[in-house]
Amino acid sequence: MASSHDFMQKMREAQAAREKAFEPLAEILGQRADLQRQLADLDAPYAEAFVGAEAAGWTAEELKAIGAEEPAKRPKGRPRSRRSAATKTTPEASASESSAPSSAAAIPGQDAAAEAATAAAGSASG
């Protein structure tokens, strides 16, 4: 019959084999943590460089096509303008939207802008 000493010896051997198998993983985990810290340290300078390239005339789409990923966090400052959204509205769509009755209070000057857009749309078509 096996003694408690024999059971403990088998347990230690099994534990030693498990520890030995874990050593390469522990080493890689340490290297991985170091690389993740290095990558995090580059996030802010990368975002600034990306925004600098955009300020110099590159679009985010062009930079992505070249291989530069858009930064996860942009540097603090003025928000990036959305030029494409402003050019997508047509005079007819904005005129029909502004002439529709609204339950919200009208903003001064808004009615004059709607009339001018309607007049411009009418003179362009006629």
Side-chain angles (χ1 to χ4, degrees):
M1 183 149 236
S3 68
S4 64
H5 176 44
D6 292 336
F7 290 125
M8 291 301 292
Q9 184 61 31
K10 287 182 181 181
M11 183 274 304
R12 287 186 187 105
E13 289 171 4
Q15 188 65 23
R18 291 179 68 200
E19 285 181 21
K20 185 139 181 86
F22 186 78
E23 286 174 7
L25 180 59
E27 185 177 326
I28 292 171
L29 283 171
Q31 292 172 354
R32 189 170 185 228
D34 289 341
L35 290 172
Q36 286 174 331
R37 275 191 294 276
Q38 290 176 18
L39 185 60
D41 290 344
L42 290 175
D43 282 346
Y46 179 79
E48 290 173 13
F50 193 94
V51 170
E54 286 181 313
W58 290 91
T59 65
E61 290 77 23
E62 291 171 327
L63 293 170
K64 287 180 198 173
I66 294 171
E69 295 178 12
E70 191 161 358
K73 292 184 179 180
R74 290 184 165 270
K76 293 184 179 182
R78 291 180 57 195
R80 190 172 64 164
S81 66
R82 299 281 184 197
R83 286 182 243 151
S84 62
T87 59
K88 287 184 181 178
T89 58
T90 60
E92 293 81 17
S94 62
S96 64
E97 289 173 5
S98 61
S99 64
S102 171
S103 61
I107 299 172
Q110 196 173 28
D111 293 334
E115 291 173 8
T118 305
S123 65
S125 64

